[in-house]
Amino acid sequence: MALEPENSNDDKPPQHANTVTGEEFAAVDVEAPIRASHKVDCWSLGNLYRTAASEQGQNDKSAATRVFGLLSDILNIQFKPEDRSEPYGPWFVMDGRRGLIPADLRGDQSAVICGLVPTIQNSGLRARLADIVWINDRSLAVMASHAIDAYCESVQLVLDNEAQFFNADRTPSGHDGRKMLHRACQIANATGWKDPQASRLKALLCAVIQDALQRRDHQGFLNAADIALQYATEDPARIAANAETFAASADLRPHWSHDLWNLAARAHAALHNQEDRDRCLVSAAESHVTIADAAGGEGIVAAGAIMDAIYELRHLPNTRNRRRELEEKLRRAQASVRDEMGVISTQFDLTDYIEHARERVSGVSLPQALGQFADLTASPDPDELREQARRLADENPLSSIMPTAMLDEDGKVVAKSPGMHPDGTESDIALHHLIARHENLRRQAAVPGLIEPARRLIWSQQSLHPHHLHLIAAMTPFVPVDRAHVVTTGFSRLFGGDFVSALHILVPQLEHSLRHILKQAGVEPSAILSDMTQGSRTLSVMLDKERAPLEEVLGPDLVFEIENLFDFRGGPAIRHRVAHGLLSAAECNSTDSIYACWFIFRLFCLPLFPHWDEVAKRMDQL
């Protein structure tokens, strides 16, 4: 997960009144809480230290409490080596507070930890401590060596079946092993690949790749081979050959084959072999066609897969004839999109919001929790909203007939409602403003009652990683293949509580996805401009000009909520405000903004709901 907001005054770090001294560490059996454990991942070790600290008593300020508490905080720092510029971040950001980051330990505390590192037996703990010290002081080359050695030892122990990662994971190339190998390579690269650590790391990566191949673990092979290719620790020709053989396996799912063909293409590119690179990329594109055929060649899943294939082939030479064949195939798939989708809706009892949210996402697997999170509430029926607004107008006639104005933070009028006519004659714009007012109240209940409790539980209880969210972004037909990484980043920021980033990433992608949806339905969302150039339609224009096909694909409920939430000036108008930089940091963390991020996650999950078992199977493979 990505959680890296700036260390500003708005995000206060944990309060550690005084440095935990070397004398306090010496007075405690530091590894007592973890000595009986076979775990080497930081999350498991951090939980053990947290339990040990709490057993000392909340008011106990003994050396053991302070030592175990500090180690728990250090182990729970978010580990994200995929972010080269900032591989560590706070494990939570909430209500103006955040978790610990390495910079909070600079100075005396880091110096104390530096002296502790050589004495630590558990390789997972030793790797974390050495890495933190080295980040805080890059001149301490010995700490870099300790970190690389400890990361290698942790993965080797799992490879030899002598240790485990989180959830009893014994896969050296799985989630935790991949991150450790990636981080070890980062440190080795930054320090010049000095032996003996460099040789050990390269040999270990080779062994992990072979282990994944022997176990027919496609994801493990992708994880390890990607690192080896990125840091040139393995012969690209060998990676390409293994990836091609694996990708061509008859028993492999086409989604997995696609990733393996792309890996093979990258390996050939590293060898400057353009012909083989293009051949593998064509095979990767054809994997999308296999997905479309498996879906029956009709409907939004098939249309989305064929569009992805056309997009990938468009960049490759000598594929024009194949693209024409696929364009005809796409038109046949598009013809059934509207019939397939219909109206998407769900219902549940709204009493006791928070308890309901907790019940939905607690004690279930990660795929189940994500599915339940996306299905916490549904877009209201537009006709019901209009009828509700009319009832409110009847019950409060004085307030409903009075004109109102919406002001921004500078006091400028950004929208006006004329109010309902005193004679009872209905005004569409006034009714729309009443609906927007009621929807604001609904969101104020849904976010603190449903969305935030569920998000925080998932974040605290599940081992959520961008790979899991990327799977959703890659599988949903609402996201073009070239936008999956961008959407994944937005989802990661959403679950991490960084709503400033999530909002500014996801809202523009929503608009692009609506254009993508229209193309899947056979509608071209563009217009010829006065200078005879072709421009993509904005959200407002699509809601005006292409509303009918959007409603046929998504249903009127979703389209009406998109309008009310993102476009209508009498509502939050989030699309306009994000596009023009009108949101302050506080407003990015408001109820409307959080709901908007969640709504986009839900929207992209909706077409996957009928296939969620497949999503779960693939997520369990990560």
Side-chain angles (χ1 to χ4, degrees), residues 103-154:
D104 298 330
L105 302 170
R106 284 178 182 159
D108 292 342
Q109 190 65 83
S110 192
V112 170
I113 296 171
C114 181
L116 180 69
V117 167
T119 70
I120 299 297
Q121 297 300 310
N122 184 285
S123 57
L125 175 60
R126 189 168 70 254
R128 171 58 58 90
L129 295 179
D131 198 350
I132 294 293
V133 173
W134 179 72
I135 283 178
N136 283 333
D137 188 349
R138 296 297 177 93
S139 68
L140 296 174
V142 67
M143 287 294 108
S145 298
H146 276 303
I148 296 170
D149 262 338
Y151 282 129
C152 288
E153 182 180 334
S154 297

Side-chain angles (χ1 to χ4, degrees), residues 2 60 93 99 125 141 168 178 226 244 343 376 383 403 410 567-568 599:
D60 184 9
V93 178
L125 175 60
R178 179 193 59 80
D226 177 74
E244 287 194 44
V343 177
L376 285 171
D383 291 334
D410 295 324
D567 187 63
F568 180 53
F599 175 84

Side-chain angles (χ1 to χ4, degrees), residues 64-388:
T65 301
R66 285 168 48 74
V67 167
F68 297 158
L70 176 63
L71 291 176
S72 172
D73 285 345
I74 292 174
L75 287 163
N76 284 325
I77 296 175
Q78 188 193 18
F79 188 35
K80 46 191 183 74
E82 63 278 359
D83 185 344
R84 291 189 179 188
S85 63
E86 196 172 1
Y88 286 99
W91 80 274
F92 78 93
V93 178
M94 186 187 307
D95 301 329
R97 299 177 295 112
R98 64 162 172 79
L100 193 71
I101 60 175
D104 298 330
L105 302 170
R106 284 178 182 159
D108 292 342
Q109 190 65 83
S110 192
V112 170
I113 296 171
C114 181
L116 180 69
V117 167
T119 70
I120 299 297
Q121 297 300 310
N122 184 285
S123 57
L125 175 60
R126 189 168 70 254
R128 171 58 58 90
L129 295 179
D131 198 350
I132 294 293
V133 173
W134 179 72
I135 283 178
N136 283 333
D137 188 349
R138 296 297 177 93
S139 68
L140 296 174
V142 67
M143 287 294 108
S145 298
H146 276 303
I148 296 170
D149 262 338
Y151 282 129
C152 288
E153 182 180 334
S154 297
V155 176
Q156 186 70 56
L157 287 169
V158 175
L159 180 63
D160 295 339
N161 204 29
E162 296 178 12
Q164 303 172 2
F165 292 130
F166 182 72
N167 278 345
D169 180 11
R170 298 177 182 272
T171 308
S173 53
H175 173 77
D176 290 304
R178 179 193 59 80
K179 293 173 80 169
M180 286 187 171
L181 289 169
H182 192 170
R183 181 58 182 158
C185 286
Q186 281 182 342
I187 299 172
N189 193 59
T191 55
W193 290 96
K194 296 177 181 178
D195 280 331
Q197 288 78 20
S199 295
R200 180 184 185 184
L201 178 55
K202 292 175 182 179
L204 177 60
L205 255 176
C206 181
V208 170
I209 290 172
Q210 292 306 309
D211 173 74
L213 287 170
Q214 291 172 6
R215 291 185 293 103
R216 300 284 299 163
D217 178 2
H218 84 282
Q219 189 61 56
F221 172 73
L222 281 168
N223 288 343
D226 177 74
I227 296 170
L229 189 60
Q230 182 178 345
Y231 290 97
T233 67
E234 180 81 355
D235 181 5
R238 186 179 297 113
I239 292 176
N242 285 326
E244 287 194 44
T245 301
F246 213 159
S249 302
D251 61 338
L252 204 63
R253 296 175 185 267
H255 301 87
W256 301 341
S257 292
H258 175 267
D259 295 340
L260 288 164
W261 283 119
N262 274 326
L263 176 65
R266 288 176 50 217
H268 285 304
L271 294 167
H272 306 290
N273 191 335
Q274 188 72 21
E275 183 178 348
D276 282 336
R277 169 192 173 273
D278 292 347
R279 174 179 56 80
C280 290
L281 289 177
V282 168
S283 295
E286 291 294 340
S287 298
H288 293 302
V289 182
T290 304
I291 294 170
D293 291 341
E298 297 181 345
I300 195 165
V301 172
I306 296 168
M307 287 182 69
D308 288 341
I310 293 171
Y311 175 84
E312 292 185 7
L313 289 173
R314 192 172 292 163
H315 303 281
L316 300 173
N318 306 316
T319 61
R320 178 179 295 179
N321 291 338
R322 180 54 173 161
R323 294 201 309 271
R324 287 176 177 173
E325 293 174 3
L326 291 178
E327 285 166 1
E328 179 59 33
K329 194 179 183 77
L330 175 62
R331 283 190 285 271
R332 292 196 298 270
Q334 288 171 335
S336 60
V337 166
R338 300 176 185 181
D339 294 334
E340 180 189 73
M341 290 299 294
V343 177
I344 305 170
S345 62
T346 186
Q347 294 180 345
F348 67 89
D349 182 7
L350 296 178
T351 60
D352 199 353
Y353 273 23
I354 295 177
E355 186 60 32
H356 175 82
R358 289 173 175 169
E359 290 176 357
R360 293 285 290 270
V361 302
S362 293
V364 298
S365 68
L366 175 60
Q368 288 176 305
L370 293 176
Q372 295 285 9
F373 180 73
D375 200 30
L376 285 171
T377 185
S379 301
D381 179 89
D383 291 334
E384 292 182 3
L385 288 174
R386 294 186 185 98
E387 184 57 33
Q388 189 174 48

Side-chain angles (χ1 to χ4, degrees), residues 485-564:
H485 177 71
V486 180
V487 170
T488 299
T489 303
F491 286 167
S492 297
R493 300 305 194 269
L494 162 62
F495 279 95
D498 181 5
F499 302 117
V500 175
S501 300
L503 195 69
H504 285 81
I505 294 171
L506 292 176
V507 171
Q509 295 309 310
L510 168 67
E511 187 166 325
H512 186 75
S513 287
L514 292 179
R515 289 192 288 266
H516 186 62
I517 291 167
L518 288 170
K519 289 180 181 179
Q520 290 174 338
V523 178
E524 179 56 45
S526 62
I528 304 298
L529 305 179
S530 59
D531 61 357
M532 298 309 294
T533 60
Q534 194 170 10
S536 297
R537 295 200 192 278
T538 64
L539 177 61
S540 297
V541 176
M542 283 188 284
L543 290 171
D544 180 31
K545 303 294 185 182
E546 277 89 35
R547 192 181 193 97
L550 279 175
E551 287 187 345
E552 288 188 39
V553 175
L554 300 176
D557 300 6
L558 284 169
V559 174
F560 194 54
E561 181 155 28
I562 290 171
E563 179 183 20
N564 289 334

Side-chain angles (χ1 to χ4, degrees), residues 582-605:
L582 300 177
L583 290 172
S584 66
E587 289 171 313
C588 288
N589 288 278
S590 69
T591 296
D592 287 335
S593 295
I594 295 172
Y595 185 93
C597 295
W598 169 85
F599 175 84
I600 295 171
F601 179 77
R602 169 177 167 78
L603 178 66
F604 290 172
C605 287

